[in-house]
Amino acid sequence: MDKKFTSDEVPLAQLLDQARTGALQLPDFQRGWVWDDNGIKSLLASISLSYPIGAVMTLQTGNPDVKFRPRLLEGVQLDKAVEPETLLLDGQQRTTSLFLVLKSGQPVPTRDSRGKQLHRRYYVNIPAALNPNADREDDALLSVPGDGLVKNFRGEVKLDLSTRAAEIAAQMFPLGIVLDYSATMAWQLEYLQSGPGDASDRLQTWMQFNEAIINTFVQYQVPTIQLIKATPKEAVCQVFEKVNTGGVALTVFELLTATYAAEDFNLRDDWRDRKDKLSAHSVLDRFSETDFLQVVTLLSTLARREAHLATHGDAAVAPAVSCKRRDILRLELEEYKKWADPAAKAVERVVPFLHGEHIFAGRDVPYATQIVPLAAMFARLGTDAESFGVRELLRRWLWCGVFGEMYGGSTETRFAFDVPDVVAWVTDPESEPRTVREAQFQAERLLSLRTRGSAAYKGLYALQMKRGGRDFRTGSTIDIHAHADDAIDIHHIFPQAWCSQNKVDAKHADSVVNKTAIDAHTNRRIGGNAPSKYLDKLEHQDKIPADQLDAIVRSHDIDPVLLRDDDFGGFFTHRFERLLKQIEEAMGKPVNRAPDSSDNPYAGTLADTQDMEQRLRDMIAGGETKVVEFKSTARLNLHTQDKDSAVEWGVLKSIAAFANSYGGTVLVGVRDDGAVVGIEGDLPFVKHQNVDGWELWLNDAVASAMSKLVAADLDVTSCSIDGRTVVRVDVGPAAKPVFALSPKDKKPTFLVRMNNATHELAGQEALDYQQKRWPN
């Protein structure tokens, strides 16, 4: 194996001379010099005692593939630019500190332990340095102000080292001349001639000091590792980060900035201009410069691969799509210039897409990393990404990534196959991307989603708002403006205090199932009260009619009857299932259920026959409302005693209207006046002539008239009341407008719930309603 480095020991004086002449410089990606006064003193003490201070690492220059803009070490001043022979990769802080103290000839600009800016000169107290009982750092080394005057708190001069004569009188040797033979000899001669004490004592003292301190500095050797010229750029950067003692790893952006600077392109300024535009969107406030470089690199490598496939057609040897660190570092300046503008525009196009999913702020983005491949997809797909069908594919990919929790670990590899996979999916709907194909959501995961740090938790928050969640107190739909103006956040539905008092397990009380999006004022109004009490308070203090409040509660996929009854178990079961349906709709696939239904701790609560019967009786007794509709039958015309499409259409209209409003319940088998007639008359017209066949018929009818998604979103249960079967159809609020095909002319019809009735809207009236109901 070829050796990639050499190692040697270099005299400290030689190393600092290389810095002084510009032969040794820093790569521009190195951060600035930051050492404080105490750190410098400690370093000087170590050298004076011949203690090791660690190796430095350098890189030979001259490799055309490894070009970094160089810069001089701090304190070095040259009349004209010099090309360096080597670049200092590790040891900047130590080397710069030593240069400033020992070679610059100027006070050292540093700071104290509190960060206060100082200018200091460094001295060795000769008697203390020769005292074996004295501490070298604390007693022998002295840091003084740049003017050489050490003062007390009253401003009185305690020690004057402003002239050579004053230095000699105080026996304080200036370390700034220790590597300058002529200056040291001049100081020595004056000390021997006029220093304190007897001449023979001075000579003896100086000889000891010269041996102990001056020769130690002059002869000090610094271990040096030098990377040879042929070392590749990514290896240089990796080695630098492994040995960097500054404590903060450099970003790939800083490294690429240094590379482009060698070609007179300021990447930092370029990003600053782009960032100024992107920062106008709060949903991008966590999108970084490194994220942007990943988008650019994905587009560049994808273009390379597609060009190869178009010419050669051999996928096995085609360049890979990638945005790993090494790929970004290999990004040529011309490639960056080619793809930076399309990347920036694509990132901005991601914003309305995320807003459409009710993701409005950076903290609410489930996986900030998904913005990178999403932007690359938008750039590659161009205007096609704006079409309804393609956006639905992108939406499904997004939510599969979120609920499948696919973007939680190392993501660059997933970026690399997601971008081409999704692009191919647009032209071939059968070729599902791996993220879509592999994503799974375990139903019991809902129980462990308790904090907003989880991507799936944030995802449910967004889906709930998208379906039209309205604030309990104001009734306002939570759109981007309400989100920004009203401090919308996730709060408990059954308050924590109530749950604690009623012995509800904390992991269930704090689950996302028991949380929803409302504003801060509303949350304070709720307090720690039981739902029955805070709903009553909202009705009276905010003058909200009961049926209107029920509709608001329904918009969060909460059963208002269960909430008003303070039935946590029933509420939890109902909402648990509703949230799973939302996840299934978003992912386009079923969630995984435990075989024994143990994923829901309250499973069976609503299945209790007596409970269900009483709830239905209570609902029937309340009559038809904004969220409850009665239908005598779903297929049978009670007058003709035959199947009637108009009767079927009446049920379908109610379902569509509830979906387009904020959800509701259709009770089939109940007359308008509340009399229970049952669905038995429908059974001869369904498969197997039983309730299961009836539910199958309803599911097919809804899927045909509206969509399979609407059908999948229904909760259908049945119960016997007075010997007659009543079917309860719970309809959730839809995430987008639902159009129902009328049986007569198959015309798409838009229906909504107004007060206690279903109405058809068309034209501008329908557009206005849709804009208000789904503002994004």
Side-chain angles (χ1 to χ4, degrees):
M1 183 190 297
D2 293 336
K3 197 172 182 180
K4 296 293 190 296
F5 66 91
T6 62
S7 59
D8 200 357
E9 287 193 337
V10 176
L12 174 62
Q14 179 182 326
L15 184 72
L16 298 184
D17 272 334
Q18 290 173 350
R20 180 182 59 80
T21 61
L24 173 69
Q25 297 185 35
L26 295 168
D28 196 47
F29 58 70
Q30 284 270 32
R31 291 191 173 93
W33 176 71
V34 295
W35 268 24
D36 64 13
D37 185 44
N38 289 332
I40 295 170
K41 281 184 62 181
S42 181
L43 177 67
L44 294 170
S46 294
I47 292 177
S48 75
L49 293 165
S50 294
Y51 291 168
I53 61 170
V56 299
M57 181 174 287
T58 61
L59 168 71
Q60 284 183 324
T61 58
N63 184 342
D65 295 326
V66 185
K67 293 186 293 184
F68 298 114
R69 171 178 277 185
R71 77 168 194 270
L72 300 171
L73 271 68
E74 188 148 345
V76 177
Q77 296 181 349
L78 298 175
D79 293 334
K80 60 181 181 179
V82 173
E83 283 295 317
E85 298 171 7
T86 54
L87 295 176
L88 183 61
L89 297 183
D90 183 42
Q92 175 201 5
Q93 303 298 322
R94 289 165 288 155
T95 307
T96 302
S97 297
L98 292 171
F99 178 84
L100 289 169
V101 174
L102 307 178
K103 280 287 185 180
S104 72
Q106 300 296 322
V108 179
T110 182
R111 64 183 191 274
D112 64 17
S113 58
R114 298 180 179 178
K116 180 182 177 182
Q117 299 299 312
L118 306 170
H119 282 79
R120 311 298 278 181
R121 294 185 186 274
Y122 295 86
Y123 287 83
V124 180
N125 183 314
I126 295 175
L130 300 179
N131 182 350
N133 297 318
D135 182 85
R136 182 61 56 86
E137 184 174 343
D138 293 337
D139 301 327
L141 275 165
L142 188 67
S143 163
V144 306
D147 61 5
L149 301 176
V150 180
K151 300 177 181 178
N152 62 18
F153 70 95
R154 290 190 294 269
E156 299 166 346
V157 177
K158 293 171 52 183
L159 178 63
D160 182 355
L161 299 177
S162 60
T163 64
R164 178 176 292 177
E167 293 171 349
I168 289 171
Q171 297 193 87
M172 291 288 185
F173 180 77
L175 281 173
I177 66 171
V178 72
L179 298 181
D180 185 334
Y181 177 78
S182 298
T184 298
M185 285 299 296
W187 201 95
Q188 169 193 328
L189 289 174
E190 192 167 336
Y191 174 78
L192 293 175
Q193 291 172 0
S194 59
D198 182 82
S200 61
D201 290 341
R202 290 198 299 273
L203 178 60
Q204 185 66 28
T205 298
W206 180 259
M207 290 174 64
Q208 292 176 3
F209 180 74
N210 185 68
E211 181 65 25
I213 301 296
I214 294 177
N215 285 348
T216 300
F217 273 89
V218 171
Q219 296 171 10
Y220 193 86
Q221 302 284 313
V222 181
T224 303
I225 299 169
Q226 186 170 81
L227 301 183
I228 65 172
K229 186 186 300 185
T231 307
K233 184 194 298 181
E234 57 268 25
V236 172
C237 297
Q238 184 176 13
V239 167
F240 171 78
E241 292 201 333
K242 295 293 184 186
V243 301
N244 178 22
T245 58
V248 180
L250 289 177
T251 67
V252 69
F253 177 83
E254 291 169 312
L255 296 169
L256 205 61
T257 296
T259 300
Y260 290 169
E263 300 181 61
D264 293 323
F265 181 83
N266 194 318
L267 181 61
R268 188 168 282 108
D269 287 350
D270 183 76
W271 166 248
R272 187 180 298 114
D273 291 342
R274 299 182 191 281
K275 179 65 174 176
D276 286 345
K277 292 183 68 176
L278 298 179
S279 62
H281 309 289
S282 61
V283 76
L284 297 176
D285 61 15
R286 299 185 183 185
F287 186 78
S288 70
E289 57 269 41
T290 301
D291 295 329
F292 182 69
L293 290 177
Q294 287 183 316
V295 178
V296 172
T297 307
L298 282 171
L299 292 173
S300 176
T301 56
L302 178 62
R304 276 186 232 147
R305 180 173 178 82
E306 290 180 337
H308 178 95
L309 291 174
T311 306
H312 303 95
D314 187 353
V317 296
V321 178
S322 181
C323 65
K324 291 184 177 179
R325 184 181 185 80
R326 67 173 181 269
D327 303 295
I328 299 175
L329 290 171
R330 291 172 180 171
L331 190 68
E332 297 293 337
L333 178 58
E334 289 308 309
E335 291 179 299
Y336 175 82
K337 289 180 176 179
K338 177 179 180 180
W339 294 108
D341 283 346
K345 290 174 183 175
V347 173
E348 287 199 90
R349 290 169 62 203
V350 166
V351 173
F353 176 83
L354 293 177
H355 285 176
E357 298 305 305
H358 275 63
I359 300 169
F360 301 124
R363 70 169 188 162
D364 297 326
V365 178
Y367 284 123
T369 49
Q370 271 191 290
I371 293 178
V372 171
L374 186 58
M377 293 169 195
F378 267 91
R380 173 59 182 78
L381 293 170
T383 55
D384 288 346
E386 311 299 337
S387 68
F388 176 83
V390 173
R391 288 176 76 87
E392 285 299 293
L393 295 180
L394 292 173
R395 178 176 177 269
R396 189 176 168 209
W397 165 83
L398 173 76
W399 292 119
C400 281
V402 171
F403 292 115
E405 297 182 285
M406 312 292 276
Y407 274 80
S410 178
T411 53
E412 290 88 351
T413 301
R414 190 162 293 279
F415 293 171
F417 60 65
D418 267 353
V419 174
D421 277 4
V422 171
V423 170
W425 195 24
V426 169
T427 54
D428 180 9
E430 299 301 315
S431 63
E432 281 189 345
R434 273 164 280 191
T435 289
V436 173
R437 192 167 62 247
E438 295 169 1
Q440 299 290 331
F441 185 85
Q442 301 295 329
E444 65 269 23
R445 179 75 174 103
L446 284 182
L447 304 180
S448 59
L449 294 176
R450 292 190 283 273
T451 64
R452 69 176 305 121
S454 162
Y457 183 103
K458 294 178 185 179
L460 280 168
Y461 173 25
L463 290 182
Q464 192 64 64
M465 290 191 294
K466 184 177 180 182
R467 292 167 71 88
R470 301 160 66 193
D471 184 70
F472 285 9
R473 178 179 58 90
T474 66
S476 299
T477 301
I478 301 170
D479 60 11
I480 187 171
H481 304 295
H483 187 275
D485 297 340
D486 298 331
I488 301 296
D489 205 348
I490 297 287
H491 298 287
H492 288 75
I493 299 165
F494 277 76
Q496 282 178 302
W498 184 93
C499 289
S500 178
Q501 291 165 8
N502 288 272
K503 305 294 188 292
V504 175
D505 192 321
K507 68 183 179 184
H508 302 152
D510 292 333
S511 160
V512 70
V513 179
N514 187 36
K515 294 179 181 178
T516 198
I518 50 179
D519 78 32
H521 300 292
T522 303
N523 188 53
R524 287 193 289 273
R525 182 71 55 84
I526 287 172
N529 296 309
S532 58
K533 290 186 177 179
Y534 73 65
L535 290 176
D536 184 68
K537 185 188 292 187
L538 289 168
E539 286 179 17
H540 290 89
Q541 292 188 10
D542 295 287
K543 306 199 180 336
I544 307 175
D547 64 334
Q548 289 281 4
L549 187 54
D550 283 352
I552 291 171
V553 168
R554 278 275 191 183
S555 72
H556 294 260
D557 276 311
I558 300 169
D559 187 320
V561 175
L562 298 170
L563 198 62
R564 290 181 183 279
D565 285 349
D566 299 331
D567 182 352
F568 184 85
F571 148 81
F572 197 95
T573 293
H574 176 267
R575 197 157 194 266
F576 184 94
E577 299 300 330
R578 293 301 308 161
L579 294 183
L580 290 181
K581 284 185 178 291
Q582 292 180 28
I583 293 170
E584 289 179 333
E585 185 276 331
M587 295 179 70
K589 61 169 66 178
V591 301
N592 289 343
R593 306 295 302 253
D596 59 358
S597 296
S598 60
D599 46 38
N600 182 351
Y602 297 95
T605 305
L606 284 182
D608 185 272
T609 305
Q610 291 182 341
D611 252 10
M612 184 180 293
E613 180 181 342
Q614 187 55 51
R615 292 190 191 288
L616 283 179
R617 288 186 183 277
D618 291 344
M619 192 176 288
I620 292 168
E624 291 186 308
T625 68
K626 189 163 186 169
V627 292
V628 178
E629 172 88 354
F630 298 161
K631 293 294 180 185
S632 300
T633 60
R635 307 208 76 182
L636 175 69
N637 184 317
L638 292 175
H639 299 292
T640 66
Q641 291 297 304
D642 200 359
K643 182 173 66 173
D644 190 338
S645 61
V647 174
E648 296 175 5
W649 178 233
V651 173
L652 297 175
K653 283 169 61 179
S654 296
I655 290 171
F658 279 136
N660 285 326
S661 301
Y662 296 97
T665 299
V666 182
L667 295 183
V668 185
V670 182
R671 281 196 328 223
D672 290 349
D673 62 4
V676 175
V677 296
I679 64 162
E680 278 72 15
D682 287 336
L683 299 185
F685 307 109
V686 300
K687 193 174 183 180
H688 305 307
Q689 299 185 3
N690 59 18
V691 175
D692 288 342
W694 190 97
E695 291 183 15
L696 247 130
W697 162 79
L698 180 67
N699 185 75
D700 290 343
V702 172
S704 298
M706 293 165 239
S707 72
K708 290 182 180 178
L709 289 178
V710 178
D713 200 34
L714 301 179
D715 286 323
V716 182
T717 54
S718 59
C719 180
S720 179
I721 297 180
D722 300 332
R724 296 182 178 89
T725 303
V726 175
V727 177
R728 172 177 175 169
V729 182
D730 284 309
V731 185
K736 57 188 176 184
V738 171
F739 291 85
L741 296 176
S742 64
K744 288 185 178 179
D745 53 14
K746 299 298 182 183
K747 182 184 77 171
T749 307
F750 185 73
L751 300 140
V752 298
R753 189 77 174 169
M754 291 185 179
N755 297 319
N756 299 348
T758 295
H759 294 269
E760 179 182 344
L761 299 183
Q764 190 61 46
E765 195 176 25
L767 291 174
D768 291 344
Y769 179 92
Q770 290 170 28
Q771 181 57 37
K772 182 179 178 182
R773 169 71 172 79
W774 298 278
N776 294 289

